[in-house]
Amino acid sequence: SEIRYGDKACLRVFYGRYLDVFGSTVRAQWCDKGTWQEFVFCPAGSRKGKSCEIKDGDVVHLRTHNGRHLAVKPGTRELIAQKGVCSSPSSKFVVHIQNSKELRHTCVVFLENKSSRTVVDADDESDLISARFTDHGEWQKIVVEKAPSKAQRLAARAAAKKAQDIPPTPKNRRRVGEMQSDSLSAMTDLDLVGAPAAKRQRLFTKTGESPLCDLTNGSKAMWGRSSSAVSLSTTASNSGSSTESTL
């Protein structure tokens, strides 16, 4: 479908994000097509009629959602949203449409500034929008898309929220329980040696076994647990004899 003067449009740069305006700052930070990402093509020069088609080679102003106009800042050549009347050449852009004579939805355009004769480009590392070069390359490609209506935005937002609120399926919950059970059964005797009593209490509460009493002072112990019994080997430090007891 055609995009005409007065239509709201979103401008997508080569790395998939859309130009957005906050105050006088112009960036390409998000993949959203919201209010901050809306622009209106306004005719400049001889073509003053509204609702006319935008043709290749037209000179335009780009009005932002907050009533400003895009312009190239002198010196830095950074794109800004400028206040006031858009009469200066720095706020005028020549529209070069790729492979088309008229601007349509998802057409690729190159925006050449009338003042600097450079083309608007994007930087995927800093999100800055500038007009630094005269090239018509990958960095300078801008895809023009019709802005979604308010009803379309609300429907998309509701669908995204509904997708986030879907509870886990019984199969997923059962899988999580199996993973927790496997992690407990994989613990070895050495993992439990020297563990605090509170930790051992919590562990045996989860596994359904009885907690083991604390070891006596002056002795070293190696103890294990199984489904039927817990065996304790104690080596006394004051004598060479060993006592093995089964609880």
Side-chain angles (χ1 to χ4, degrees):
S1 59
E2 294 181 350
I3 297 179
R4 296 172 171 265
Y5 287 113
D7 292 343
K8 292 181 179 180
C10 298
L11 308 179
R12 174 162 53 88
V13 297
F14 73 95
Y15 55 90
R17 298 177 184 174
Y18 294 87
L19 264 66
D20 62 84
V21 174
F22 180 73
S24 62
T25 305
V26 182
R27 295 288 187 270
Q29 305 175 86
W30 298 289
C31 298
D32 302 333
K33 291 194 287 185
T35 304
W36 289 9
Q37 287 80 21
E38 289 179 348
F39 297 87
V40 176
F41 284 84
C42 303
S46 60
R47 302 194 67 192
K48 296 292 184 181
K50 290 185 177 181
S51 298
C52 294
E53 66 277 2
I54 303 170
K55 294 187 176 181
D56 182 40
D58 279 3
V59 181
V60 302
H61 298 291
L62 286 166
R63 190 173 72 241
T64 64
H65 70 94
N66 54 3
R68 301 178 180 230
H69 294 84
L70 294 187
V72 176
K73 187 177 181 180
T76 62
R77 293 189 177 180
E78 181 181 339
L79 209 65
I80 60 173
Q82 180 178 275
K83 274 185 178 180
V85 181
C86 51
S87 58
S88 64
S90 63
S91 63
K92 296 179 181 180
F93 298 88
V94 181
V95 181
H96 299 282
I97 307 173
Q98 189 177 62
N99 303 326
S100 180
K101 293 182 179 180
E102 297 179 353
L103 184 60
R104 294 180 175 273
H105 179 63
T106 69
C107 269
V108 175
V109 301
F110 300 93
L111 299 175
E112 179 187 351
N113 186 250
K114 287 282 288 183
S115 176
S116 62
R117 299 295 180 182
T118 53
V119 182
V120 174
D121 65 85
D123 189 341
D124 57 340
E125 293 184 358
S126 63
D127 298 331
L128 284 173
I129 307 299
S130 308
R132 300 171 290 178
F133 313 106
T134 58
D135 303 336
H136 287 203
E138 192 69 22
W139 291 5
Q140 288 79 22
K141 285 184 178 180
I142 294 178
V143 179
V144 183
E145 300 179 3
K146 274 196 170 182
S149 63
K150 185 177 181 180
Q152 290 173 331
R153 288 201 301 265
L154 291 175
R157 193 177 303 169
K161 184 178 180 181
K162 184 178 180 180
Q164 293 177 354
D165 293 341
I166 295 177
T169 62
K171 182 178 179 181
N172 291 340
R173 288 199 296 268
R174 184 167 59 252
R175 178 58 183 160
V176 171
E178 291 174 357
M179 292 173 62
Q180 292 176 347
S181 177
D182 292 342
S183 63
L184 289 176
S185 61
M187 296 186 69
T188 63
D189 298 339
L190 293 178
D191 295 329
L192 301 176
V193 173
K199 182 176 180 180
R200 295 201 301 273
Q201 177 68 42
R202 290 195 302 269
L203 174 64
F204 282 112
T205 301
K206 290 181 180 180
T207 57
E209 299 179 4
S210 301
L212 187 67
C213 60
D214 293 335
L215 302 178
T216 57
N217 294 330
S219 64
K220 297 180 180 180
M222 291 292 295
W223 51 279
R225 56 189 177 87
S226 63
S227 59
S228 59
V230 179
S231 51
L232 175 65
S233 288
T234 306
T235 304
S237 59
N238 296 330
S239 62
S241 58
S242 62
T243 303
E244 181 176 331
S245 60
T246 302
L247 301 179

